[in-house]
């Protein structure tokens, strides 16, 4: 799951194409929760221990891993250390397991850990967060049991902690063209070519790179502002995931990245998540072909352009001449069926969240937690988050069957009507707990 905070105001019409439903410049708290219980720290023959004891052991183990990895890097990857304050948080209980104390939050020492409770109102995420006067890496429990996935996650979030200073992520609108048939088709072809490039060397590698860049260029030519929208997420999440693979998966980074490309090739919902596959692939290829590439990386860099330069630029092949190497016919058939299903889903969301009775909530200083895997764009109205938790001045909204965030990030809509139980409201697939001084009136949430 990912978390972001909404923009303080609507972007001007002059800047809206380069500004955003998710202004990443201000929203580095974006996370992907992958996971099952942390690596087995207790043998099967050991007596059962309380969950809190298991969590403390898992947290201590992970924090040790984190410090080993960042000290091993020694600041070489990004010119500064990734080491810094880290906390692990149980999203069910808000229990905090930190590697250092804070001021004014009653953390208690327990071995090498400092344990306490995260205050209400602080978003929980795999993220970077400013809390108690300190910038932290925050990671949610339970952690992935697989070591490479766990260590990749730790280093991914460690990069987000230094990202505002090292590589501030740009502002951009979500790349909703990745919800279209041709957008998805060309993205999958690009990924398959990148996987081939990672498996090969020499001229076969360069040929596969040229193929990938041809698919990329055609896709980006089909939608307005596609290049800026995709680049923004590749710089934000793609570079963080590259960092995670380089330092977490280590010598297995290439195999891990090929596995991720293969996994994402079978997934739905690329609009918010595609950069987790693309970013590491471009980064690792640039490591091979242009080792100093990170030194010149800027918020407005294009990883595809950098890789094209690394192979001497030159003409790219015609897509029609190379697409069959990567299973074009099968992908087209699959994506045609998915496009039909997508149209049916869009009709469902429009009926539930636009055309039917709805309750609107103002977005003032909103934080939203969501899964980047199932974000559904509904232009021009906004973006649907099928599952989400939203916190704002008016309280907390928990959604299991869809909330529509308006394109300007000024309001959210849920399916009406709802029923009241004191300050709590509930409706079809959602529950709302209002803060004092707020009411639901005339199908909207407002101050009393």
């Amino acid at each position: 799951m990912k978390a972001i905070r909404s923009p303080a105001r609507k972007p001007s019409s002059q800047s809206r194409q380069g500004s955003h439903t998710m202004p990443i410049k201000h929203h580095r708290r974006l996370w992907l929760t992958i996971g099952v219980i942390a690596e087995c720290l207790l043998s099967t023959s050991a007596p059962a221990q309380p969950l809190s004891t298991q969590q403390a052991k898992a947290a201590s183990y992970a924090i040790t891993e984190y410090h080993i990895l960042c000290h091993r890097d020694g600041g070489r990857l990004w010119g500064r250390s990734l080491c810094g304050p880290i906390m692990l948080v149980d999203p069910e209980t808000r229990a905090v397991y930190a590697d250092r104390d804070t001021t004014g939050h009653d953390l208690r020492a327990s071995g090498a850990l400092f344990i306490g409770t995260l205050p209400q109102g602080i978003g929980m995420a795999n993220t970077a967060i400013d809390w108690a006067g300190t910038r932290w890496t925050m990671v949610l429990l339970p952690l992935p049991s697989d070591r490479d996935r766990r260590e990749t996650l730790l280093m991914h979030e460690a990069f987000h902690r230094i990202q505002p200073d090292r590589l501030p992520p740009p502002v951009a609108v979500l790349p909703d063209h990745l919800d279209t048939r041709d957008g998805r088709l060309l993205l999958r072809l690009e990924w398959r070519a990148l996987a081939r490039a990672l498996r090969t060397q020499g001229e076969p590698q360069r040929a596969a790179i040229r193929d990938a860049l041809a698919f990329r260029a055609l896709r980006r030519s089909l939608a307005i502002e596609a290049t800026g929208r995709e680049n923004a997420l590749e710089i934000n999440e793609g570079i963080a995931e590259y960092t995670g693979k380089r330092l977490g998966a280590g010598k297995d980074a290439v195999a891990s990245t090929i596995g991720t490309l293969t996994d994402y090739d079978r997934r739905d919902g690329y609009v918010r998540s595609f950069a987790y596959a693309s970013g590491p692939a471009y980064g690792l290829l640039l490591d091979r072909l242009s080792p100093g590439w990170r030194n010149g990386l800027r918020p407005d860099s294009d990883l595809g352009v950098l890789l094209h330069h690394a192979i001497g630029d030159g003409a790219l092949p015609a897509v029609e001449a190379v697409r069959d190497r990567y299973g074009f016919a099968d992908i087209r058939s699959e994506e045609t069926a998915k496009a039909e299903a997508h149209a049916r889903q869009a009709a469902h969301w429009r009926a539930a969240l636009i055309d039917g009775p709805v309750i609107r909530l103002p977005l003032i200083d909103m934080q939203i937690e969501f899964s980047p895997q199932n974000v559904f764009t509904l232009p021009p109205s906004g973006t649907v988050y099928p599952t989400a938790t939203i916190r704002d001045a008016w309280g907390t909204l928990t959604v299991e069957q869809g909330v529509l965030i308006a394109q300007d990030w000024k309001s959210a809509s849920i399916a009406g009507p709802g029923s009241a139980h004191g300050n709590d409201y509930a409706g079809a697939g959602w529950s709302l707990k209002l803060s004092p001084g707020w009411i639901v009136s005339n199908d909207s949430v407002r101050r009393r």
Side-chain angles (χ1 to χ4, degrees), residues 191-214:
W191 284 341
R192 292 184 182 193
L194 290 172
R196 179 176 291 186
L198 286 167
R199 292 188 184 100
T200 55
Q201 299 287 340
E203 183 51 35
Q205 179 180 81
R206 292 172 181 269
I209 289 172
R210 288 191 290 269
D211 294 348
L213 294 176

Side-chain angles (χ1 to χ4, degrees), residues 9-20 173 225 408:
R9 58 184 176 84
K10 179 179 177 180
S12 67
S13 58
Q14 181 179 4
S15 65
R16 193 174 306 166
Q17 284 187 340
S19 178
H20 179 342
V173 179
E225 295 293 327
D408 62 5

Side-chain angles (χ1 to χ4, degrees), residues 254-307:
V254 170
S256 177
T257 298
I258 292 171
T260 297
L261 290 166
T262 302
D263 176 34
Y264 273 67
D265 190 21
R266 297 188 292 262
R267 290 193 184 191
D268 295 324
Y270 295 151
V271 169
R272 187 59 189 75
S273 66
F274 83 96
Y276 288 88
S278 297
Y282 278 99
L284 292 173
L285 288 168
L286 284 165
D287 285 345
R288 291 181 185 177
L289 298 167
S290 181
W293 70 277
R294 293 185 304 277
N295 296 330
L297 195 62
R298 303 188 309 270
D300 62 350
S301 293
D302 183 324
L303 299 182
V305 170
L306 294 179
L307 189 56

Side-chain angles (χ1 to χ4, degrees), residues 211 214-215 316-326:
D211 294 348
F215 300 136
L316 300 177
V319 165
E320 294 79 4
V322 299
R323 65 191 186 185
D324 289 340
R325 300 173 186 171
Y326 303 99

Side-chain angles (χ1 to χ4, degrees), residues 207-231:
I209 289 172
R210 288 191 290 269
D211 294 348
L213 294 176
F215 300 136
R216 182 182 179 96
L218 178 57
R219 181 182 69 251
R220 292 179 168 201
S221 73
L222 298 178
I224 297 173
E225 295 293 327
T227 295
R229 296 179 185 191
E230 290 187 19
N231 285 348

